[in-house]
Amino acid sequence: MFGLGRPQPSSAEKIAAVENELKVVAEMHSRMVKICTLKCIDKTYREGELSKGESVCLDRCAAKFFEAHQKISDQLQKETQARGGGGFGM
């Protein structure tokens, strides 16, 4: 009645969706660390701590990475919904 004609996902499907989301987030984090480290950290490691420039660079790189990821995710979700794929709505 309230499902609007779509079958509700089972517990196993919900768990699989959450596990998949965790995998995607972990992969994104790994890519972000690799890309931002290559871009922002001096390879000679002259100091034990991050310099102010490195810290600012990492902060901006991470922010841009997440912003781009969010825009792509939003667009993919819109396209999926337009095709009638819907997702689980968690």
Side-chain angles (χ1 to χ4, degrees):
M1 180 168 147
F2 294 108
L4 300 174
R6 270 190 289 171
Q8 295 298 315
S10 68
S11 293
E13 290 172 326
K14 289 179 183 180
I15 290 170
V18 170
E19 287 174 344
N20 188 49
E21 182 67 20
L22 286 172
K23 181 181 172 186
V24 168
V25 170
E27 289 172 358
M28 181 193 67
H29 178 265
S30 180
R31 284 192 313 271
M32 181 194 68
V33 168
K34 182 179 178 180
I35 290 168
C36 293
T37 299
L38 288 172
K39 179 180 178 185
C40 299
I41 305 295
D42 186 10
K43 301 196 183 12
T44 59
Y45 296 110
R46 287 177 268 203
E47 300 175 23
E49 300 292 324
L50 292 174
S51 70
K52 184 172 183 172
E54 290 170 332
S55 182
V56 169
C57 180
L58 286 169
D59 185 52
R60 289 180 180 164
C61 182
K64 288 178 182 178
F65 201 92
F66 280 115
E67 182 180 351
H69 184 307
Q70 188 62 48
K71 286 181 180 180
I72 291 167
S73 295
D74 291 347
Q75 186 61 37
L76 287 173
Q77 187 175 14
K78 286 178 187 176
E79 291 176 11
T80 300
Q81 289 175 347
R83 283 181 280 179
F88 295 131
M90 285 192 264

